[in-house]
């Protein structure tokens, strides 16, 4: 699942989130479509299709039971027990592992509260309330402002609203741009910053079938993990948590998914999709495949190397399969024809009305000119915005530290995104977290980044000269990593003290390189924002408003990484010459394992094998439903009409990737772990019946 | 599996088998390709790929252990025990069933020899020897003969060679046209006409997943049945039979398939494939879908109706999926481009050589003109050659009886195909066999046949007038079926006595209709043979000979329904985003059944459920290999290097359908029942350990 679309914190800080948009046509009559905000649920659609209208109390309860952890999760007991995916907690398990305790390979079960392990740097949050702040945000824009100026003015308003929120309510505020900028909403969050690992199964059970089975269904994965929120050193007492339906869901049942879909591009114009299809995505895909090959070569050196590279390699495989799926969608003539006919219909309606035409008519052309600019600056955008794997690794940390020291002295509203006052606690926590650093692994990816830059821009480019200073990529990466002390958390902490005063004089080689790079990176980013992002954003806001004007407001916004409610039914689907079943069972683990000779990624997980006689093998393990989800929904609870937990989203099937652009329920499915498998596994496989009991007792 | 390509006897008698052809390019270096005749096995290819060269004794043993029963089978004990598919023996089980004993629904296990049930009309045969008779066949063609004349002259030679064979050796002779007529071989068969049903599992075990899972893999079918050949009222003692390898095959193992692939069209020219793609196949597919809908409606009337229609409905579903798969291949631009480049290369080579050009250069144009003729006579061919579902049913029987009485008085060499002296025993046995007739079911299909004819040719067509004589299709079908006594085997037998003398004066309404139809049907058939078949046959012989001249003779002929040897390795394959395993297991039955809620076609077979605790569920159930097979291979034994039985072919996956035109081993696979499942099921599920013992004891 594409957790990394949201999950890697830094990526989010230095790469602008694509503008939030919405689906063009009204969906009232259309299928199980939509990722709805909690203040705008599709009551008519639900009533028409399922004869069900959720009450406000029902909605509030589900919202407050939902947990945002840069992916999705939920409270499942009154004592702050959190259910999410294995692959969401994998990074934490990896960081907590040591050569003596390999929680990724072996899993972890806390015998009791005292054995639950704090996860450094992890915070989770709950969406307490939503407020429409559209007038306040737009009120900051001065008449006659250019798109870039308007954007800056809105950002200043947003920063001020967010800061006020914290001051007034003690809640973290986030202004979310919805419907392509046609609406702004203030989301207020309660945060929990003491989160502990309670239970995680071994990787083989959670990720049975490995990369081959990723994004696949039928599937046999116990992709679950449990954490617990603490307050004041004690398990947090939460008012809202999900009760469990130990009977699970049946084929055809109505179900709901509450989670944080990261990104959809359903508002994007055809020109944008074509550029993605023909240029941006093939380039990105190729880059990821090259990095994957390097990581595999590194992994093959030995078991310790394999362990070190596993998480990043997993994310890489994941991203590749995901992007390939999206690209398949964009290369599907039917899908593009559907987009084209939607776009043509809206443009025609706009053209026919003098008023709409004047207001919004230039939107599509403006997008095209932004793409034209991007096409003319492709090399800059490719090699001067993203060095060292999107800011991951020590070079990314160095850039953050350098920028922090620069930005923190500016007025809040003039700072770069990611460095506003309200964002600093996250940033500082992340940069100082004592995560392990593997310099040999970083050397591989850093060398690749420098090589790509050299190849793309050429040796005579001033930026290349400034970075390499006459050295070869490999030699530079090696000497940087040998010389830097940034892998020491204490050193990083020291640098950040006193608003980063020491950074300017610091002669750590990674920091000095970051200082040489930063001006060019800033300049490139600013040019991209002004010429592409701001223009596209303004244009898409117009497209969105035109959509409102033509079709009304009975629709949902594009995904923004914030809490959404989706719905659908449990349903298998036709594929090839046969049918795919709605459920899989524990039997399937054994069938698939022995079908491949019970080895490698297809071996029966050791604990499952050991407890085979105890397990009721016909217990449903995974299931599929038609709910409209995407990357970031990993860990979302699936609930029934009564709001009771019946499943845990962990993936979409391969056919769901084009959902990024157009929803389709013929074969696209959301894949979930069945709650019955969760209870069965806790009791029969992991000796963690106490956790099953805690969920069930809280359900009474 | 497409048993019906060969399996419905009458269909074969009245529809000309398409000319046998061969694969154009040399395959020595190419993959696990080829359906090889036993006198021409690919020794070099096998040695290069697998380091294995079969000895003559190895080949003779496998050939003589292989059983031809219009599909495929093998001897598996010294006492004439025969292993084939459930779906090959299904028709027999259906005919033997009564309202009291439903062998299709419940299966059948003979407790001992005394309980084995004779199957009326069933004969099987073994290929005793092969002789090249090319000079003798071509020697009969007079200089200057037209294609149609040459064809008739060759047919006369063939009839004479076949008759001589029976007289001289007591063996049934069949002259097989190979390599598009570039070679003729006399196949001599020993026949067994007393065949008894020994074991057949219930349909649900053999056909788990029903039509949905047909042509699909992964698969979970115990598609097996056992028969026994008798001689003089006792089990036949056979010298050659397959020993069993109770360990089965492993992933990657070299395996061989010995069976009777029915038809491939790898020699057909691009123009023929395009005509099939654009006209013939879409028409045929549509007709089958309409018949399917009628059969389903009939089936839904009640359980007895469902039972009556099951076999024909199965064949219809089967044929539809198969033809859809082939059509997918023909609509695949890559496949057609591959064909085109092969054809272009050969045509270029022919054009470059004055000698080859003179000899073979007109072949492709001649094919095109034959297609042109067919296109101009499409309605005649569609509605005047195939009435009443390809000769099945009582109208088909009536036509056979009328023709028999006409033909049998002519000199052997002037008779219609199917009525030569050597073919009469089969014909008489079949027509007289006491198979049950369901008049209500026939009324459905016969009405459809008349309606189609009326719609296609119009009410003023003389043939339509002659058939309907002013009645409506439904009324005519009803009155014919009410009035006819042809459903009585004794009546049929009576009509055939004294070379059919009584037929001319018989006033049975179905016989009188057949008499009215026959002249037109003969005329249409003759025109089609002269203008299409003979021309295409002559042209493809030229294409084949041109191929020999350019590429040499190291290749295999197109399938002809006669015994062939294929080879390959046990291997899974990539599909979608994941891998398909080489094996499935009994676990998979339970996983798939419970995934669908354990109901309908996806319910665990009752006996399997009852004996679950006894079965070792990890026993391999089905497996896939790369051997080159097609419809007619159903029931073929799969053997290892030592010639020991490791599996039983019962299907190809969906990706194997385009193999009709071009072999490909990326995803196309032959699907087999694992011998370990056969032994396990006999012992643990069906209480038929004696049969397992018989196989294993004979193996010592």
């Amino acid at each position: 699942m594409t957790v990394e679309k949201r999950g890697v914190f830094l990526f989010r800080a230095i790469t602008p989130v694509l503008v939030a948009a919405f689906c063009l046509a009204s969906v009232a009559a259309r299928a199980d479509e939509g990722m709805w905000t909690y203040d705008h649920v599709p009551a008519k659609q639900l009533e028409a299709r399922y004869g069900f209208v959720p009450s406000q109390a029902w909605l509030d309860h589900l919202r407050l039971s939902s947990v945002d952890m840069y992916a999705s999760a939920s409270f499942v007991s009154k004592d702050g027990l959190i259910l999410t995916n294995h692959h969401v907690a994998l990074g934490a398990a990896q960081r907590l592992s040591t050569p003596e305790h390999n929680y990724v390979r072996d899993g972890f079960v806390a015998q009791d509260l005292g054995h639950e392990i704090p996860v450094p740097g992890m915070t989770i949050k709950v969406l307490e309330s939503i407020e429409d702040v559209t007038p306040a945000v737009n009120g900051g824009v001065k008449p006659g402002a250019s798109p870039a100026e308007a954007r800056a003015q809105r950002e200043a308003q947003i920063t001020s609203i967010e800061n006020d929120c914290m001051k007034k309510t003690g809640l973290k505020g986030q202004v979310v741009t919805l419907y392509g900028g046609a609406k702004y909403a203030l989301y207020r969050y309660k945060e929990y910053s003491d989160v502990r690992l309670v239970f995680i199964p071994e990787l083989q059970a959670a990720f049975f079938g490995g990369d081959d089975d990723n994004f696949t269904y039928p599937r046999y994965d116990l992709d679950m993990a449990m954490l617990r929120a603490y307050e004041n050193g004690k398990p947090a007492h939460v008012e809202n948590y999900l009760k469990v339906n130990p009977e699970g869901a049946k084929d055809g049942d109505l179900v709901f998914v509450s989670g944080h879909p990261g990104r959809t591009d359903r508002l994007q114009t055809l020109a944008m999709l074509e550029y993605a299809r023909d240029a941006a995505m093939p380039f990105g895909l190729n880059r990821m495949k090259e990095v994957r090959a390097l990581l595999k070569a590194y992994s093959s050196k030995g078991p310790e190397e394999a362990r070190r590279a596993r998480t990043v390699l997993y994310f890489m495989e994941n991203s590749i399969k995901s992007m390939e799926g999206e690209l398949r969608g964009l290369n599907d003539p039917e899908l593009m024809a559907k987009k084209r006919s939607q776009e043509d219909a809206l443009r025609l309606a706009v053209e026919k009305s003098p008023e709409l035409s004047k207001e919004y008519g230039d939107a599509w052309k403006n997008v095209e000119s932004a793409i034209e600019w991007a096409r003319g600056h492709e090399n800059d955008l490719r090699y001067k915005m993203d060095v060292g794997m999107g800011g991951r690794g020590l070079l990314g940390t160095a850039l953050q530290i350098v920028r922090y020291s620069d930005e923190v002295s500016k007025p809040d509203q003039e700072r770069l995104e990611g460095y506003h006052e309200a964002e600093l606690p996250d940033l500082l926590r992340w940069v100082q977290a004592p995560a392990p650093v593997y310099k040999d692994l970083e050397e591989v990816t850093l060398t690749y980044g420098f090589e790509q830059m050299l190849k793309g821009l050429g040796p005579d480019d001033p930026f290349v000269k400034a970075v390499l200073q006459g050295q070869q990529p490999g030699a530079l990466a090696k000497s940087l990593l040998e010389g830097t002390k940034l892998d020491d958390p204490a050193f990083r902490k020291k640098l950040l003290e006193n608003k980063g005063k020491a950074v300017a004089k610091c002669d750590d080689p990674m920091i000095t390189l970051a200082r040489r790079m930063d001006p060019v990176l800033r300049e490139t980013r600013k040019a991209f924002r002004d010429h592409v992002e701001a223009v596209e954003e303004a244009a898409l806001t117009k497209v969105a408003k035109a959509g409102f004007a033509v079709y009304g407001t009975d629709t949902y916004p594009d995904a923004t990484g914030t809490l959404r409610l989706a719905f659908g039914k449990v349903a298998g689907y036709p594929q090839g010459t046969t049918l795919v079943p709605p459920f899989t069972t524990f039997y399937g683990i054994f069938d698939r394992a022995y079908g491949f000779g019970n080895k490698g990624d297809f071996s029966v997980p050791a604990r499952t094998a050991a407890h085979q006689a105890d397990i009721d093998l016909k217990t449903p393990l995974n299931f599929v439903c038609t709910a409209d989800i995407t990357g970031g929904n990993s860990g979302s609870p699936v609930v029934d009409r009564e709001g009771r937990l019946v499943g845990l989203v962990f993936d979409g099937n391969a056919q769901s990737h084009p959902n990024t652009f157009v929803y389709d329920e013929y074969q696209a499915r959301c894949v979930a772990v069945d709650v019955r498998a969760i209870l069965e596994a806790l009791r029969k496989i992991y000796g963690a019946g106490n956790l099953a009991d805690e969920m069930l007792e809280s359900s009474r």
Side-chain angles (χ1 to χ4, degrees), chain A:
Chain A
M1 196 72 204
T2 51
V3 118
E4 90 288 4
K5 274 188 189 162
R6 309 187 62 238
V8 176
F9 301 9
L10 292 181
F11 205 80
R12 199 182 184 195
I14 70 159
T15 303
V17 172
L18 281 162
V19 65
F22 87 139
C23 176
L24 283 175
S26 168
V27 294
R30 254 205 277 155
D32 296 337
E33 176 167 356
M35 303 164 174
W36 302 83
T37 54
Y38 266 81
D39 58 351
H40 186 193
V41 297
K44 276 186 216 161
Q45 198 172 339
L46 278 169
E47 181 153 32
R49 291 181 66 83
Y50 296 103
F52 177 81
V53 181
S55 69
Q56 191 57 47
W58 189 100
L59 290 167
D60 290 346
H61 173 74
L62 183 53
R63 170 173 53 80
L64 293 164
S65 301
S66 302
V67 169
D68 186 343
M69 51 184 297
Y70 289 89
S72 304
S74 59
F75 285 124
V76 292
S77 92
K78 60 182 171 52
D79 295 316
L81 190 62
I82 295 168
L83 178 66
T84 188
N85 292 142
H86 178 279
H87 75 272
V88 170
L90 179 62
Q94 169 105 3
R95 291 200 296 280
L96 296 175
S97 289
T98 60
E100 294 76 44
H101 296 288
N102 186 332
Y103 299 136
V104 175
R105 185 189 62 205
D106 304 326
F108 169 76
V109 186
Q111 294 155 23
D112 51 37
L113 289 176
H115 286 83
E116 296 178 355
I117 314 176
V119 183
M122 181 178 275
T123 58
I124 59 128
K125 52 193 187 178
V126 172
L127 178 56
E128 292 284 325
S129 64
I130 299 175
E131 186 185 333
D132 187 347
V133 292
T134 314
V137 171
N138 287 331
V141 178
K142 284 164 193 148
S146 73
E149 287 163 357
R151 185 192 166 119
Q153 289 157 4
R154 275 195 303 271
E155 275 188 8
Q157 286 296 101
I158 285 170
T159 300
S160 143
I161 293 167
E162 289 176 350
N163 287 344
D164 281 359
C165 175
M166 177 60 87
K167 272 182 228 150
K168 285 183 195 161
T169 64
L171 296 174
K172 188 183 176 73
Q174 177 194 14
V175 173
V176 184
T177 305
L178 298 164
Y179 301 100
K183 180 174 174 180
Y184 295 91
L186 173 63
Y187 279 41
R188 296 192 192 88
Y189 297 100
K190 174 173 168 68
E191 285 193 300
Y192 297 86
S193 56
D194 181 355
V195 182
R196 305 190 188 177
L197 183 64
V198 177
F199 165 71
I200 190 162
E202 72 276 29
L203 182 68
Q204 181 58 18
F207 199 45
F208 177 80
D211 291 324
D212 288 318
D213 274 6
N214 195 14
F215 295 125
T216 296
Y217 185 81
R219 193 74 162 277
Y220 307 92
D221 287 355
L222 190 72
D223 194 346
M224 69 172 289
M226 301 187 104
L227 302 156
R228 196 186 298 277
Y230 278 70
E231 282 186 309
N232 308 316
K234 299 227 162 106
H237 175 73
V238 294
E239 295 274 322
N240 289 282
Y241 58 89
L242 298 178
K243 295 186 176 184
V244 169
N245 177 359
E247 307 294 315
K250 292 189 308 298
D251 188 16
D253 277 1
L254 168 65
V255 291
F256 296 85
V257 172
S258 179
H260 304 86
R263 195 206 80 200
T264 52
D265 294 332
R266 296 185 191 170
L267 182 63
Q268 289 206 1
T269 69
L270 199 62
M272 291 167 85
L273 297 187
E274 285 169 348
Y275 182 69
R277 179 192 65 193
D278 301 332
M281 286 172 69
F283 175 81
L285 200 50
N286 184 54
R287 175 142 69 179
M288 288 194 292
K289 285 182 176 175
E290 290 183 352
V291 172
R292 175 177 63 181
L294 294 171
L295 292 173
K296 281 194 172 172
Y298 171 83
S299 281
S300 68
K301 286 186 186 173
E304 173 59 14
E305 281 85 355
R307 187 188 72 78
R308 291 178 174 194
R310 189 181 288 279
T311 313
V312 60
L313 192 51
Y314 165 74
F315 282 130
M316 202 55 65
E317 292 283 7
N318 205 44
S319 308
I320 288 169
K321 265 200 180 183
S322 168
M323 193 178 279
E324 282 178 338
E326 291 184 349
L327 205 48
R328 245 194 329 274
L330 292 180
N331 280 311
D332 175 356
E334 267 186 60
L335 182 140
M336 290 302 260
K338 202 167 165 184
K339 277 302 292 188
R340 183 181 297 277
S341 79
Q342 286 177 1
E343 183 163 316
D344 286 352
L346 183 60
R347 291 182 75 163
L348 194 68
V350 168
E351 275 166 31
K352 276 186 179 166
S353 150
E355 200 183 320
L356 294 181
S357 181
K358 190 182 159 208
E359 197 88 34
Y360 310 125
D362 61 354
W364 291 272
K365 295 244 147 144
N366 291 348
V367 165
E368 280 165 32
S369 67
I371 290 173
E372 209 44 54
W373 190 93
R375 215 186 288 277
H377 295 75
E378 222 153 49
N379 271 351
D380 283 354
L381 301 180
R382 286 175 176 177
Y383 304 108
K384 290 185 189 169
M385 271 175 56
D386 175 21
V387 176
M389 295 189 55
R392 275 173 275 194
L394 292 179
L395 179 54
T397 304
L399 279 163
Q400 285 189 303
I401 291 170
V402 166
R403 282 176 187 163
Y404 170 80
S405 73
D406 285 348
E407 295 298 310
V408 79
S409 61
K410 298 180 188 168
D412 195 37
Q413 298 179 353
E414 292 173 17
R415 295 182 195 171
L416 276 183
E417 194 183 333
Y419 298 87
H420 294 300
E421 208 55 42
E423 296 171 306
L424 291 182
D426 268 0
L427 178 75
L428 294 175
R429 193 160 37 228
W430 179 251
V431 172
Q432 294 173 32
V437 172
Y438 309 118
K439 286 189 170 180
D440 56 339
L441 176 56
E442 288 219 4
E443 195 180 322
V444 172
T445 51
L446 194 56
T447 300
Y448 174 79
F450 291 148
E451 279 170 351
Q452 285 301 298
M453 174 194 71
L454 175 58
K455 203 171 127 197
L457 299 173
D460 299 328
D461 181 277
F463 179 67
V464 174
K465 285 183 169 172
V467 172
L468 296 183
Q469 296 191 315
Q471 290 193 70
Q472 289 301 309
L476 174 61
K478 195 176 171 70
S479 75
L480 283 169
L481 288 161
E482 275 171 5
T484 188
K485 285 174 291 187
L486 277 182
D487 53 321
D488 176 3
F491 180 72
R492 297 200 294 274
K493 192 172 179 189
K494 194 91 190 157
L495 278 175
L496 293 168
E497 279 170 6
N498 294 318
K499 300 195 168 183
K501 288 246 166 65
V503 174
K505 290 176 204 155
C506 174
D507 62 354
D508 185 277
M510 203 68 91
I511 294 286
T512 58
L513 171 63
R515 274 204 304 266
R516 295 201 301 276
M517 291 170 73
D518 195 41
V520 178
L521 299 187
R522 281 171 181 265
E523 190 188 333
T524 312
R525 166 152 304 288
K526 186 173 184 316
F528 180 68
R529 299 193 79 144
D530 291 352
H531 294 282
V532 181
E533 285 185 329
V535 178
E536 288 187 348
E537 198 175 303
L540 290 187
T541 303
K542 288 184 178 181
V543 173
K545 286 181 175 170
F548 276 158
V550 173
Y551 301 115
T553 58
D554 195 10
T555 186
Y556 61 94
D558 256 327
T560 46
T562 48
L563 192 65
R564 298 294 178 86
L565 182 67
F567 67 95
K569 61 181 173 299
V570 176
Y573 50 95
Q575 184 176 311
T577 49
T578 188
L579 300 176
V580 176
F583 294 89
T584 66
T585 71
F586 281 88
Y587 278 119
I589 297 175
F590 293 88
D591 179 52
R592 197 156 167 77
Y594 286 109
F596 280 109
N598 195 22
K599 61 194 174 192
D601 285 340
F602 291 107
S603 53
V604 177
R607 291 183 190 207
T608 305
H611 295 283
Q612 179 176 356
D614 307 322
I615 306 166
D616 181 356
L617 296 178
K618 69 176 179 293
T619 305
L621 177 50
N622 293 164
F623 70 90
V624 278
C625 66
T626 58
D628 190 359
I629 61 143
T630 191
N633 268 114
S634 285
S636 300
V638 186
V639 304
D640 62 16
R641 285 172 188 248
E642 281 74 43
R644 294 173 306 178
L645 185 77
V646 294
L648 169 66
V649 172
F650 73 100
D651 207 354
N653 64 357
Q655 295 92 329
S656 73
H657 290 288
N659 274 9
T660 302
F661 312 108
V662 176
Y663 173 83
D664 172 64
E665 73 181 33
Y666 175 62
Q667 292 187 316
R669 290 291 180 278
C670 162
V671 186
V673 184
D674 195 289
V675 73
R676 289 165 284 190
I678 291 171
L679 297 172
E680 186 77 2
L682 288 172
R683 285 191 200 290
K684 308 282 184 66
I685 303 177
Y686 295 100
N690 57 320
L691 296 173
D693 292 342
E694 182 178 343
M695 291 166 75
L696 291 170
E697 274 162 25
S698 292
S699 296
R700 274 180 205 135

